């Protein structure tokens, strides 16, 4: 009888055994030894050929239980900084904070004057300071009415203005002075008609400087006109900007 012998060997995993390819057909009694004295050589037996073994391992059987979690590894190197992301949505408005403490009061500095003269003035052999007799404004008494001078107590930039009325047929020649320096002039030639003349300027003063007006000395007759009824001669000044602000 011909056939194939299949042998299952049980180890830790199933094993399949098969005869080699092209094995010769054997009778079922070939495995028996010849009778004693028959003279036949004994057969090699059914397993004279080593069978081919093919192993199949079921990995699901070999897989063990899940082990414990390992220790945390050391941190890696910091990567390159990425590009900035898009601007996020504006957050909700916060609540109003508490009121802060009261600040120091503002230290504003002022200086201003406006004076007038109600009497006419004629030239003399020497320069004459124009003395004023009427006060409109004189903050902190910075304008000295006896000397006819504005005395600077707050250093800074000031604006000054002089208005005069000329006298018929007489020359008008007036200086605006800073200390002993002539800064501007008010001038009118002799005419048969009197007119109003004006001069303005800005000066940067230091504390202690004096600004005043003077009538030119007599080279030829010159004068400024005024009367007790109307105001024709005025002198004005005020601080524009203190130094250091």
């Amino acid at each position: 009888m011909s056939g194939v012998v299949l042998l299952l060997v049980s180890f830790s995993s199933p094993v399949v055994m098969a005869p080699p390819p092209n094995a010769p057909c054997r009778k079922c009694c070939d495995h028996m030894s010849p009778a004693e004295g028959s003279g036949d050589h004994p057969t090699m037996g059914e397993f004279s050929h080593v069978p081919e073994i093919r192993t199949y391992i079921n990995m699901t059987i070999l897989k063990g239980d899940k082990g414990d979690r390992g220790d945390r590894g050391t941190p890696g190197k910091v990567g390159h900084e990425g590009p900035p992301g898009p601007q996020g949505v504006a957050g909700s408005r916060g609540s109003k904070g508490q009121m802060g403490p009261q600040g120091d009061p503002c230290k504003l500095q002022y200086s201003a004057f406006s004076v007038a003269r109600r009497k006419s003035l004629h030239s003399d052999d020497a320069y004459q300071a124009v003395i004023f007799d009427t006060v409109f404004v004189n903050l902190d008494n910075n304008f000295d009415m006896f000397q006819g001078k504005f005395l600077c107590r707050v250093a800074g930039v000031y604006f000054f203005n002089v208005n005069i009325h000329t006298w018929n047929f007489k020359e008008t020649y007036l200086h605006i002075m800073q200390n002993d320096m002539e800064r501007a002039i008010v001038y009118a030639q002799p005419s048969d008609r009197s007119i109003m003349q004006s001069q303005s300027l800005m000066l940067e003063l230091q504390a202690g400087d004096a600004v005043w007006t003077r009538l030119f000395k007599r080279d030829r007759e010159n004068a400024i006109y005024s009367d007790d009824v109307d105001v024709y001669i005025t002198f004005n000044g005020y601080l524009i900007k203190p130094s250091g602000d």
Side-chain angles (χ1 to χ4, degrees), residues 106-124:
C106 297
K107 297 179 180 180
L108 300 178
Q109 297 180 327
Y110 300 95
S111 183
F113 71 92
S114 180
V115 295
R117 180 182 174 95
R118 295 181 179 271
K119 295 179 181 179
S120 299
L121 183 63
H122 292 266
S123 60
D124 200 349

Side-chain angles (χ1 to χ4, degrees), residues 133-204:
D133 50 33
T134 303
V135 176
F136 298 119
V137 175
N138 190 10
L139 297 182
D140 298 328
N141 293 316
N142 288 340
F143 191 89
D144 189 336
M145 296 294 292
F146 297 100
Q147 299 184 67
K149 296 181 178 181
F150 168 73
L151 303 177
C152 176
R153 291 187 174 89
V154 179
V157 178
Y158 286 78
F159 174 83
F160 296 97
N161 168 260
V162 174
N163 298 286
I164 61 172
H165 192 282
T166 65
W167 201 309
N168 294 359
F169 305 107
K170 294 182 181 181
E171 187 178 46
T172 300
Y173 200 161
L174 192 76
H175 287 135
I176 300 177
M177 306 290 295
Q178 179 182 356
N179 300 324
D180 295 327
M181 185 180 300
E182 302 168 359
R183 288 300 193 182
I185 187 173
V186 184
Y187 179 78
Q189 293 180 339
S191 173
D192 57 351
R193 298 179 61 185
S194 62
I195 59 173
M196 291 293 296
Q197 291 285 83
S198 179
Q199 180 67 279
S200 301
L201 78 164
M202 288 190 294
L203 296 173
E204 185 171 4

Side-chain angles (χ1 to χ4, degrees), residues 22-240:
N22 302 321
C25 181
R26 302 283 183 180
K27 293 181 181 181
C28 60
C29 58
D30 286 345
H31 66 284
M32 300 179 62
S33 300
E36 185 177 355
S38 62
D40 293 333
H41 296 286
T43 61
M44 296 298 296
E46 182 179 1
F47 294 99
S48 60
H49 297 280
V50 178
E52 179 182 3
I53 300 175
R54 298 180 182 179
T55 304
Y56 168 77
I57 300 176
N58 188 348
M59 297 302 295
T60 60
I61 297 176
L62 298 179
K63 184 177 180 180
D65 296 333
K66 184 177 180 180
D68 297 333
R69 185 173 181 176
D71 297 335
R72 184 182 180 91
T74 57
K77 295 182 179 179
V78 179
H80 297 292
E81 183 177 357
Q87 184 174 357
V89 181
S92 58
R93 184 174 181 179
S95 58
K96 185 176 181 180
Q98 298 180 352
M99 181 181 295
Q102 183 176 359
D104 297 331
C106 297
K107 297 179 180 180
L108 300 178
Q109 297 180 327
Y110 300 95
S111 183
F113 71 92
S114 180
V115 295
R117 180 182 174 95
R118 295 181 179 271
K119 295 179 181 179
S120 299
L121 183 63
H122 292 266
S123 60
D124 200 349
D125 293 335
Y127 295 107
Q128 297 182 75
V130 179
I131 305 300
F132 298 86
D133 50 33
T134 303
V135 176
F136 298 119
V137 175
N138 190 10
L139 297 182
D140 298 328
N141 293 316
N142 288 340
F143 191 89
D144 189 336
M145 296 294 292
F146 297 100
Q147 299 184 67
K149 296 181 178 181
F150 168 73
L151 303 177
C152 176
R153 291 187 174 89
V154 179
V157 178
Y158 286 78
F159 174 83
F160 296 97
N161 168 260
V162 174
N163 298 286
I164 61 172
H165 192 282
T166 65
W167 201 309
N168 294 359
F169 305 107
K170 294 182 181 181
E171 187 178 46
T172 300
Y173 200 161
L174 192 76
H175 287 135
I176 300 177
M177 306 290 295
Q178 179 182 356
N179 300 324
D180 295 327
M181 185 180 300
E182 302 168 359
R183 288 300 193 182
I185 187 173
V186 184
Y187 179 78
Q189 293 180 339
S191 173
D192 57 351
R193 298 179 61 185
S194 62
I195 59 173
M196 291 293 296
Q197 291 285 83
S198 179
Q199 180 67 279
S200 301
L201 78 164
M202 288 190 294
L203 296 173
E204 185 171 4
L205 304 181
Q206 302 298 324
D209 285 349
V211 179
W212 50 293
T213 59
R214 73 179 186 185
L215 196 65
F216 197 74
K217 63 183 179 180
R218 179 180 293 173
D219 286 343
R220 53 186 175 181
E221 189 175 15
N222 85 85
I224 51 178
Y225 174 81
S226 190
D227 59 36
D228 295 335
V229 179
D230 297 314
V231 175
Y232 294 97
I233 304 171
T234 60
F235 184 27
N236 314 284
Y238 56 87
L239 175 64
I240 296 176

